[in-house]
Amino acid sequence: MSEGPRVVTWDARYREDFARLNRGWIEQHFQLEPADVASFADPHGTFVATGGEVFFALSGGKVLGTCALRREADGVYELCKMAVDPEARGLGLGDALMEAVLRFAKSHAASRVYLVSNTKLGPALGLYRKHGFVTTREGEEVSREAGYARADIEMELRLG
């Protein structure tokens, strides 16, 4: 019997999977940007060492999904770099990752989790809305402030 999906936190063995899965969706729809390259080179330093976390969804011993939570300030976290292998979409891995992220945020006294994305990414936006995120801003100002040319929507979830 194969192992069911499970979510684990940062493990250096999965660093390349973090980059592989995120490069996939970014290169399919957009272009890699300097901030992407920096986070792929050092996910631990970018997310974990600063008070956040990196999550991996595993099934059958393979990493099929990932995302990161970056601590911005006391009580404020940014959800970053969420990706699920195209072959594993529809299996609930996005939900499992989101639930792990929100458990972590709540256990670290987060009052707000936000994200920036792109309105072209309908399934991702649907996942975020399903978990309670609401749109706070859309348009060019999001990309200017987020530091990603592809960002055109900001969403947030208020906790607690």
Side-chain angles (χ1 to χ4, degrees):
M1 180 177 255
S2 70
E3 170 189 328
R6 65 187 176 103
V7 176
V8 299
T9 55
W10 173 254
D11 187 320
R13 292 178 296 172
Y14 305 135
R15 185 173 79 76
E16 290 304 317
D17 294 298
F18 180 78
R20 171 184 58 84
L21 289 166
N22 279 292
R23 280 181 187 275
W25 72 264
I26 294 169
E27 291 175 342
Q28 178 183 356
H29 299 284
F30 310 102
Q31 292 182 356
L32 285 179
E33 299 185 41
D36 299 316
V37 176
S39 70
F40 298 159
D42 186 11
H44 183 273
T46 302
F47 303 108
V48 181
T50 58
E53 189 57 84
V54 178
F55 302 86
F56 300 96
L58 303 164
S59 184
K62 296 169 85 173
V63 176
L64 297 177
T66 190
C67 67
L69 197 60
R70 183 181 68 82
R71 182 182 176 277
E72 182 174 295
D74 285 346
V76 179
Y77 289 82
E78 179 185 13
L79 176 63
C80 308
K81 303 286 190 270
M82 180 170 269
V84 172
D85 189 299
E87 302 294 318
R89 291 187 183 145
L91 300 178
L93 298 176
D95 287 320
L97 286 164
M98 186 65 73
E99 290 162 9
V101 162
L102 296 178
R103 269 193 311 274
F104 178 94
K106 289 174 185 174
S107 74
H108 287 77
S111 59
R112 176 178 181 250
V113 176
Y114 77 97
L115 61 92
V116 295
S117 189
N118 187 282
T119 52
K120 289 183 193 177
L121 303 175
L125 299 180
L127 174 70
Y128 305 142
R129 288 185 181 108
K130 176 181 176 182
H131 288 274
F133 284 79
V134 296
T135 301
T136 52
R137 295 187 301 163
E138 284 189 58
E140 289 181 20
E141 73 182 47
V142 176
S143 66
R144 280 194 305 273
E145 291 182 22
Y148 286 100
R150 65 181 174 262
D152 70 355
I153 186 170
E154 179 183 271
M155 302 176 81
E156 75 172 10
L157 175 63
R158 294 281 178 173
L159 300 171

